[in-house]
Amino acid sequence: MAESAPLTESASVFRTRGITKIYRSGEVEVHALRGVDLDLYEGEMAVLLGPSGSGKSTLLNILGGLDVPTSGEVTFKDLALSSMKERGLTAFRRHRVGFVFQFYNLIPSLTARENVELVTEIARDPMSAEEALTLVGLEKRLDHFPAQLSGGEQQRVAIARAIAKRPEVLLCDEPTGALDSKTGTLVLEAIDTVNRELGTTTALITHNQVIAQMADRVIWFGDGQIVRIDVNETRISAQEVAW
Amino acid sequence: MTALISPLTKKLARDLWRIKSQGLAIALVIGCGVATVVMAFGTLVSLQETRETYYERFRFAHVFAQLKRAPERLADDIERIPGVARVATRIVKDVTLDVPGIPEPSVGRLVSIPERGEPMLNHMTLREGRWVLPDRTDEVIVSQKSADAHGYQLGDPIGATINGKKRTLTIVGIAQSPEFIYALGPGQFIPDDKTFGIMWMGREALEAAFDLKESFNDVSISLMRGANEKDVIDRVDILIEPFGGTGAFGREDHMSDAFVRGEMDQLRAMGSILPPIFLGVAAFLLHVVIGRLIHTEREQIGLLKAFGYANWHVGWHYLKFVLVLSAGGVLIGIGLGWWMGRWMTGQYSELLNFPFLHYRLELSVFALAVVVTVGTVTVGTLRTVMSAVRLPPAVAMSPAPPPVYHKSLLERWGLQRYLTEPTRIIMRNIFRWPVRTGLTCLGLAASSSLMVATMFGLDALDQMMDVYYFQSNRQDATISFVDTRSDNVLQDVMRLPGVMAAEPMRNVPVRLRLGHLSELVSITGIPQDAKLYQLLDINLRHVDVVPEGLIISTRLAENLGAKPGDIVTAEVKEGRQPTLQLPVAVVVEEYIGASAYMSLDALNRAMGERRSANTAIVLLDDTQLPALYDEIKNTPMVASIFLRSTALRSFNETIAENTTQALGFYIFLGSMIAFGIVYNSARIALSERGRELASLRVLGFTRGEVSYILLGELVLLMTVSLPLGCVLGYGLAAIMAEGLQTDLYRIPLVVSRSTYGTAMLVVICATAVSCLIVGRRIKNLDLISVLKTRE
């Protein structure tokens, strides 16, 4: 990272201060987050690592406006997410965030193109569905239904769907979790391309430490807290990732 | 050690609890079907038993005949007819009454009873007061119905014109009789207890009043077990013919019994036509719900089989699920049906005036409901349950392959550019599950068609009233004379106060025969230029009175199997009693009664009489009514006057209150089906596609947009179902009209726009309510958990 400016000097996109999240299931209280302070910067690729139940997904969901913290503050640029209501959060997700999940969550009754169009239709300044699908290397599978695509292809449609609206952030929760190494690489390539070419701030959760080498920063979670943050001197490309 | 409750039973209980609201909706649909069976057949059985007991205990006769006047010894001849058990002679006469508080003259039918001892046949139950005393010529026992209508008390006086003399009668008792469960006065077709009532009077008193010493004009006959009724009737006819007999008839043609029978037929029709619809819908709903359950529990099924559970064990587990829900429905249905049956029986007690009538839930009715329900739902869900049975464990343990979608028909026609993605999702889903879509649509159509087919009865009633009282009988009143008079009588009628126009009519009792079929009716002679009485064809257009030949109503044509051109034999039961050969000229539409008409001139000629009439129909000036009533009460030649306004009032009083209740009941039944279907479909869709919808919410779709995808499909199916329901409803109404017609009337197949409108509105409302309930669940979709798990 010699040629780029120090990260702290880029504008902060997400900013969390002292956020906690407590789930109550029956009589048990689960402290999913215990005071997390974190900044994510414009254009960076951050990988969130940590064991199951360490709070990564909870944080990602809060950042994406799917969930609200029990206490603490979350801001996205000038938006105070932690104090927003349901309607505002829906609009936030609609226009500014792209999601990719482990299970692709495509609409089975829509083709690849239409799954992407589903999002471009309601976005303000989207790219075309073809463009988004080309970016993830699926220009030849536009009119296939999910049932006709492989797992990796389905996940790449999900990525195309996430980025077609030109989101300001891309949030990926174990995007390769259900894929083998070879198809996983293709998916990571797609995410890498989006991050580099479009400059979309990207946060990616994984269990796989190898993937961490693609990141600008690696944020380690443990027991609902950030344990440490590593800054990578150099980012390896997706092709170099292998597991 | 084995657990007290097997784990599978616990699973069953918890699964049921999880889908409790859907289960309840299905149970309610089953319940409605069962309730209809229990209500209809329960009431039917109660009515049947009560009728039997009532008839037997009070010795209701089997054969009846009226005649002009016969000496008492004729009874002995009748008694010698093979098969006859007992013969009871009576004097029966209609008289005009002057009832305090009722301006219009009303008619009382005086029926003789022995002063000493009980009547041999057609006995009554004395509800209040005492029997008439010998030597008291002014004592009467009135029927419970007229007592109720007028508020008669024991000791009240009633003015009557008996054989031209004004008399004052005293009420000494109030009674009920199986002979007059349904009592119609001359010219009436709806009972009106205010203007027509039965009064029993001592035989000697009546003999004296009508100069019928040692004579009778009415005979009732009871038959021995196994007697040939038709044969007895023929022999009685021969015996009474010289005495002005108007033709003997059996219980089948007895107005009161025919009415009770008609009610029973209607209950039977209702109990047979409606429940299959409910049970069919319930079977479909269970099929869908159980199908979904098996789909989501696919891996569990695999696991159970891997653990060594037998196929039948798995199948039985899911079948139990169906059976428990059905059992719930049966219980609801029995409860609801019992309650409705009691209500209905109460209505019948009032209408039929049985001295005792208790709703009793027969074990056979209960068994019928259970067998039919369990049978239907088991057959309906067997295929789905078998799919769980057949699933090989290894296949079951891996997730089901994702459903394969195709572009919908509309898109293949190139219409996709008009469809947004959410709309495409809807369309493809519809085409992806064509059978389910079709059945959902059909089920919703069943709901509206059920309402159309039940509520149309009210339209039919309106139509019957309109045709009878406004299109055919255009007169304001019908005046019957005590005997047949020359048609100069019309001039006398015209001189009555307030009479603006009058036309003569002549009624002649006949037995019509064609082939082996015969029917006892009266031929009504109508002037060819009649304005007040109109004959109508099947399309309700005016038909001219033909100068020659017989005009018969549709009902009579059906009963005799007659068509225009056929020659019918008419055995006249009046005067010189000629036998005529009459060609059927025209068949006319008449919903009420089986009647025959002729031109008045032709009828008079056939009877060998001068121009004469025994009835006049008139238009009246309302303002002169009190004067007219006064005059008529003092005119001995007038036997009765019946006003259209009175009949309509009485109709509205009896029917209107029942109408609201019936309407509410039908709407309840229809909305249960609609709600059951929409709610279950929405819940199933939500369960199948919760993931998909949550994904959309994550992508930034609003609740409204997501709801559109889920509920839009249902709204679309509902919209398609509405016209379908109207068409099916019309068809079902035709079946109902056929099933509900009785010997007394035909039900016209007319469905008003408001009936269609109401049926559609109820389906729309039921859909809206279920959408609202399911919409709340969309609001609470758990976005996170749904994304973290594989389906």
Side-chain angles (χ1 to χ4, degrees), chain B residues 548-627:
Chain B
E548 295 295 335
L550 200 59
I551 302 163
I552 59 174
S553 72
T554 37
R555 175 92 251 173
L556 183 58
E558 235 169 74
N559 292 356
L560 285 178
K563 54 185 187 305
D566 288 346
I567 307 283
V568 174
T569 307
E571 298 162 7
V572 175
K573 303 291 181 186
E574 200 195 291
R576 289 183 291 111
Q577 308 210 342
T579 295
L580 312 168
Q581 300 295 323
L582 299 170
V584 174
V586 189
V587 174
V588 291
E589 182 65 289
E590 240 168 47
Y591 301 128
I592 296 149
S595 0
Y597 302 90
M598 273 175 85
S599 111
L600 182 59
D601 287 340
L603 184 62
N604 285 154
R605 266 200 313 278
M607 293 294 292
E609 61 195 13
R610 291 183 301 137
R611 284 178 61 92
S612 46
N614 55 9
T615 304
I617 55 178
V618 296
L619 284 184
L620 295 177
D621 172 2
D622 284 353
T623 58
Q624 305 253 27
L625 278 181

Side-chain angles (χ1 to χ4, degrees), chain B residues 1 4 98 100 148 170 195 211 272 415 460 504 514 534 554 597 610 622 669 710 728 764:
Chain B
M1 198 181 108
L4 207 57
D98 188 1
D148 290 346
T170 307
T195 54
D211 218 3
S272 320
L415 296 172
L514 181 65
Q534 299 279 308
T554 37
Y597 302 90
R610 291 183 301 137
D622 284 353
L669 293 184
L710 184 75
L728 287 180
I764 292 171

Side-chain angles (χ1 to χ4, degrees), chain B residues 229-299:
Chain B
E229 185 187 282
K230 195 177 168 298
D231 182 58
V232 172
I233 288 176
D234 287 344
R235 287 165 185 257
V236 170
D237 271 352
I238 295 168
L239 286 178
I240 62 175
E241 199 184 296
F243 303 97
T246 52
F249 55 91
R251 278 186 187 174
E252 197 179 31
D253 291 313
H254 192 283
M255 190 58 91
S256 175
D257 187 59
F259 178 76
V260 178
R261 237 182 11 251
E263 293 295 325
M264 290 180 175
D265 289 345
Q266 296 198 349
L267 282 172
R268 199 175 289 117
M270 189 172 179
S272 320
I273 298 173
L274 300 185
I277 299 176
F278 286 103
L279 295 180
V281 169
F284 161 62
L285 292 179
L286 280 168
H287 157 80
V288 174
V289 169
I290 205 81
R292 177 63 195 160
L293 192 71
I294 288 172
H295 181 81
T296 52
E297 295 187 348
R298 198 180 149 90
E299 291 164 41

Side-chain angles (χ1 to χ4, degrees), chain A residues 23 57 61 66-67 86 90 93-94 99 101 103 105 107-111 114 117-119 121-122 143 145 147 161 165 173, chain B residues 402-403 405-407 411 420-422 424-425 428 691-692 695-703 705 783-784 787-790:
Chain A
Y23 292 108
S57 292
N61 289 337
L66 284 174
D67 207 346
E86 164 64 31
T90 300
R93 295 198 301 268
R94 184 171 191 146
F99 280 105
F101 293 95
F103 306 111
N105 293 301
I107 309 297
S109 57
L110 295 180
T111 62
E114 289 162 345
E117 280 172 348
L118 195 62
V119 167
E121 212 166 67
I122 59 168
D143 290 319
F145 282 95
R161 185 175 67 177
K165 68 172 86 154
D173 195 345
Chain B
Y405 284 85
H406 298 285
K407 298 200 169 177
E411 294 167 83
T420 61
E421 262 68 28
R424 279 185 217 182
I425 296 179
R428 286 183 194 163
R691 232 181 128 64
E692 185 178 321
S695 306
L696 291 171
R697 290 281 287 126
V698 168
L699 293 176
F701 279 77
T702 61
R703 264 181 226 148
E705 288 162 335
L783 303 188
I784 295 157
L787 296 174
K788 291 298 273 183
T789 51
R790 186 213 292 273

Side-chain angles (χ1 to χ4, degrees), chain B residues 67 70-81 84 86-90 120 203 216 218-221 239-240 243:
Chain B
L67 28 86
E72 194 58 36
R73 63 182 152 72
L74 183 67
D76 300 336
D77 298 341
I78 295 174
E79 208 158 347
R80 278 194 289 272
I81 295 173
V84 169
R86 288 178 183 180
V87 177
T89 62
R90 297 189 294 191
M120 214 175 341
R203 171 78 180 257
F216 65 93
D218 180 286
V219 59
S220 309
I221 300 158
L239 286 178
I240 62 175
F243 303 97

Side-chain angles (χ1 to χ4, degrees), chain B residues 613-675:
Chain B
N614 55 9
T615 304
I617 55 178
V618 296
L619 284 184
L620 295 177
D621 172 2
D622 284 353
T623 58
Q624 305 253 27
L625 278 181
L628 175 71
Y629 293 152
D630 277 349
E631 189 69 30
I632 281 183
K633 285 174 190 170
N634 294 312
T635 310
M637 73 163 184
V638 173
S640 66
I641 174 167
F642 274 103
L643 267 78
R644 172 166 64 187
S645 54
T646 314
L648 289 176
R649 182 200 65 206
S650 130
F651 174 78
N652 288 331
E653 276 170 10
T654 46
I655 304 298
E657 65 178 289
N658 291 339
T659 301
T660 327
Q661 286 162 336
L663 206 61
F665 174 58
Y666 298 145
I667 287 177
F668 170 75
L669 293 184
S671 51
M672 276 300 112
I673 292 191
F675 178 78

